[in-house]
């Protein structure tokens, strides 16, 4: 019998003591900041799986995504209805091993069936998520290839544009930008379109929309993502890709995701006490407080500047709010290499060049563990112009 809880025990390998000489790993997007919330939930999110359960490949033969558990589909529709961030009615949901696999599945589904003489160009406006380029280059497909910055793409050739909103790495809200007479298709990566990160201003209703459990609740290790798709033929092709590449998605992970997302939804449905704090309120407060500390430290340093975001009315919280991204997009003043500057402070970051930007830019995670984040802020606040 397997018992899975919402949080790891305090002895997991990522728990460590941070010292002034320690290396702070701020380059990864590991959302460990939310671990404290799930610890306080105790056994409410515990899942018990007996040895004879979930043995079949198949979950729902009546669904074109036959490996998706019905209970996971139900809570995905439920949480989007609760938050109001995406249309699910009369849409098709495809589950995958994280949104990374679904990104690949989307490229497969949107590329021509007949392999063209020239692969379809995949573009995204810089700064773009670094893994788009990496994944496409690793696949080395005859169907598609990396076409670089969407903002300057003007070829009279078919293309696929990836629109990431809020954007990774800089947290800005994005729309399609390609200016070309050629036929183009769109993938909307909405991984961070949740109320702890940005105001929910509308229900997204795009052709292909990608979401992920890791950004919704912080459970990156479960490797669950889902796509909401308008066209059933595109959805079928995406499901075929997941089937062919991994023979479906772990039912254990799906069961855990369904349980935890369900607990989030139940909290709002059964909310009675003003003393308790629900997940999106808790996580938004945490991220907001971190951003306030971080901005203060950056201003004190006078070495870096950080992106500023406009305020907007959030339909979920019914208040005007800023965007509080999971990453900070820093610019090192004086044309100095931002990554190398932070390395002198024993802070590991991700270089701006990997996102299609200049070397003075650098991405830093805002969702690390408390000790790591506090030490990161301390080091930045003590930096002085040389």
């Amino acid at each position: 019998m397997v018992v899975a809880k919402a949080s790891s025990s305090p002895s997991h390998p990522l728990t460590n003591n941070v010292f002034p000489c320690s290396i702070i790993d701020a380059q990864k997007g590991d959302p460990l900041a939310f671990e404290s919330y799930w610890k306080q939930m105790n056994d409410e999110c515990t899942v018990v799986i007996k040895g004879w359960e979930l043995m079949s490949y198949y979950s729902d033969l009546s669904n074109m995504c036959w490996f998706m558990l019905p209970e996971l589909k139900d809570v995905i529709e439920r949480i989007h209805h609760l938050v109001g961030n995406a249309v699910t009615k009369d849409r098709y949901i495809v589950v995958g091993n994280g949104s990374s696999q679904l990104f690949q599945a989307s490229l497969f589904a949107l590329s021509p069936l007949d392999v063209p003489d020239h692969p379809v160009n995949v573009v995204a406006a810089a700064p773009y998520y670094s893994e788009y380029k990496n994944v496409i280059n690793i696949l080395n497909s005859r169907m598609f290839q990396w076409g670089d910055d969407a903002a300057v793409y003007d070829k009279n050739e078919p293309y696929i544009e990836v629109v990431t909103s809020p954007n990774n790495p800089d947290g800005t809200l994005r729309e399609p930008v390609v200016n070309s007479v050629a036929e183009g298709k769109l993938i909307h990566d909405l991984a961070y379109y949740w109320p702890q990160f940005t105001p929910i201003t509308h229900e997204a209703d795009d052709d292909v929309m990608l979401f992920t459990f890791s950004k919704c609740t912080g459970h990156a290790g479960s490797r669950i993502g889902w796509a909401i798709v308008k066209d059933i033929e595109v959805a079928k092709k995406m499901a075929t890709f997941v089937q062919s590449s991994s023979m479906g998605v772990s039912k254990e992970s799906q069961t855990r995701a369904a349980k935890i997302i369900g607990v989030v939804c139940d909290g709002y449905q059964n909310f009675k006490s003003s003393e308790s704090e629900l997940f999106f309120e808790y996580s938004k407060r945490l991220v907001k407080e971190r951003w306030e500390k971080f901005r203060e430290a950056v201003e004190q340093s006078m070495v870096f500047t950080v992106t500023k975001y406009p305020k907007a009315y959030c339909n979920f919280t019914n208040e005007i709010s800023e965007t509080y991204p999971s990453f900070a997009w820093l610019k090192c003043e004086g044309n100095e290499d931002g990554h190398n500057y932070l390395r002198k402070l024993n802070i590991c970051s991700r270089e701006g060049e990997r996102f299609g930007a200049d070397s003075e830019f650098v991405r830093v995670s805002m969702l690390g563990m408390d000790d790591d984040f506090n030490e990161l802020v301390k080091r930045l606040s003590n930096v002085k112009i040389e």
Side-chain angles (χ1 to χ4, degrees):
M1 180 171 64
V2 177
V3 179
K5 297 189 177 184
S7 64
S8 303
S9 68
S11 61
H12 67 65
L14 295 177
T15 299
N16 63 319
N17 295 319
V18 179
F19 301 100
C21 59
S22 300
I23 294 177
I24 303 298
D25 188 354
Q27 72 157 326
K28 299 175 183 176
D30 222 3
L32 297 174
F34 302 141
E35 185 184 75
S36 54
Y37 179 85
W38 295 111
K39 281 184 177 180
Q40 73 184 24
M41 297 301 289
N42 202 10
D43 290 337
E44 192 171 345
C45 296
T46 298
V47 175
V48 178
I49 301 173
K50 298 179 181 178
W52 52 268
E53 294 178 317
L54 308 180
M55 293 181 64
S56 174
Y57 287 115
Y58 304 95
S59 298
D60 183 3
L61 292 178
S62 66
N63 190 341
M64 59 87 197
C65 187
W66 51 265
F67 43 83
M68 178 168 58
L69 291 174
E71 54 265 40
L72 179 59
K73 179 178 182 292
D74 290 343
V75 295
I76 288 173
E77 293 175 343
R78 189 180 171 197
I79 198 164
H80 284 298
H81 178 73
L82 169 71
V83 173
N85 60 345
V87 174
T88 59
K89 185 178 180 181
D90 299 325
R91 300 294 181 263
Y92 304 95
I93 298 176
V94 181
V95 68
N97 293 283
S99 60
S100 299
Q101 185 183 40
L102 292 169
F103 172 63
Q104 299 174 44
S106 302
L107 296 178
F108 169 78
L110 296 177
S111 297
L113 284 176
D114 298 327
V115 178
D117 295 333
H118 183 74
V120 174
N121 288 302
V122 182
V123 296
Y128 43 72
Y129 178 43
S130 57
E131 293 308 304
Y132 294 150
K133 180 179 179 180
N134 290 345
V135 166
I136 290 170
N137 288 341
I138 288 172
L139 291 174
N140 195 27
S141 173
R142 292 182 297 165
M143 300 174 68
F144 47 82
Q145 65 182 6
W146 180 244
D148 210 48
D149 189 354
V152 297
Y153 184 83
D154 58 0
K155 297 179 181 179
N156 187 20
E157 300 172 354
Y159 65 89
I160 298 173
E161 181 178 0
V162 189
V163 181
T164 310
S165 187
N167 190 42
N168 178 355
D170 64 0
T172 57
L173 303 180
R174 293 289 187 86
E175 296 288 343
V177 299
V178 168
N179 182 18
S180 172
V181 297
E183 178 184 0
K185 297 180 180 179
L186 299 174
I187 300 171
H188 281 78
D189 185 344
L190 305 181
Y192 295 97
Y193 192 43
W194 294 102
Q196 67 267 47
F197 299 124
T198 192
I200 304 301
T201 58
H202 68 288
E203 272 191 305
D205 189 20
D206 303 296
D207 291 343
V208 178
M209 301 182 289
L210 306 182
F211 291 90
T212 171
F213 188 38
S214 66
K215 308 308 182 294
C216 176
T217 66
H219 292 85
S222 294
R223 307 309 304 134
I224 291 291
W226 60 90
I228 303 174
V229 186
K230 282 186 179 180
D231 188 328
I232 189 172
E233 296 305 320
V234 173
K236 285 179 178 178
K237 291 177 183 177
M238 292 179 67
T240 297
F241 182 92
V242 176
Q243 171 189 333
S244 300
S245 60
S246 59
M247 202 56 193
V249 177
S250 164
K251 289 186 180 181
E252 286 82 359
S253 289
Q254 291 189 63
T255 300
R256 188 184 191 212
K259 177 67 174 180
I260 292 172
I261 295 174
V263 166
V264 172
C265 295
D266 290 343
Y268 287 90
Q269 180 179 338
N270 304 324
F271 183 62
K272 296 179 181 179
S273 171
S274 60
E275 296 179 359
S276 59
E277 196 170 21
L278 302 175
F279 174 71
F280 289 121
E281 280 68 28
Y282 177 95
S283 54
K284 180 179 179 179
R285 176 180 58 78
L286 184 151
V287 179
K288 178 181 179 182
E289 290 174 354
R290 287 194 171 192
W291 265 100
E292 290 171 349
K293 294 178 182 178
F294 189 83
R295 284 191 183 279
E296 183 178 352
V298 170
E299 290 173 2
Q300 288 181 14
S301 75
M302 300 181 66
V303 174
F304 292 95
T305 55
V306 65
T307 306
K308 294 183 178 180
Y309 305 98
K311 293 183 178 181
Y313 184 81
C314 178
N315 296 327
F316 177 72
T317 61
N318 295 316
E319 63 182 9
I320 296 176
S321 175
E322 286 185 38
T323 293
Y324 301 107
S326 63
F327 296 102
W329 185 238
L330 295 174
K331 181 181 180 181
C332 190
E333 297 302 318
N335 294 321
E336 187 165 353
D337 187 304
H339 175 72
N340 287 338
Y341 197 105
L342 289 180
R343 189 162 56 181
K344 298 175 186 176
L345 306 177
N346 281 339
I347 298 172
C348 186
S349 59
R350 188 167 293 187
E351 309 94 311
E353 297 99 321
R354 293 182 61 180
F355 303 93
D358 295 330
S359 62
E360 59 259 42
F361 289 95
V362 64
R363 191 192 75 172
V364 174
S365 174
M366 298 290 288
L367 297 184
M369 301 182 75
D370 286 341
D371 289 346
D372 287 339
F373 178 77
N374 291 334
E375 181 64 26
L376 169 68
V377 169
K378 181 179 177 181
R379 294 183 192 181
L380 284 176
S381 63
N382 290 331
V383 171
K384 303 299 178 185
I385 298 177
E386 298 178 357

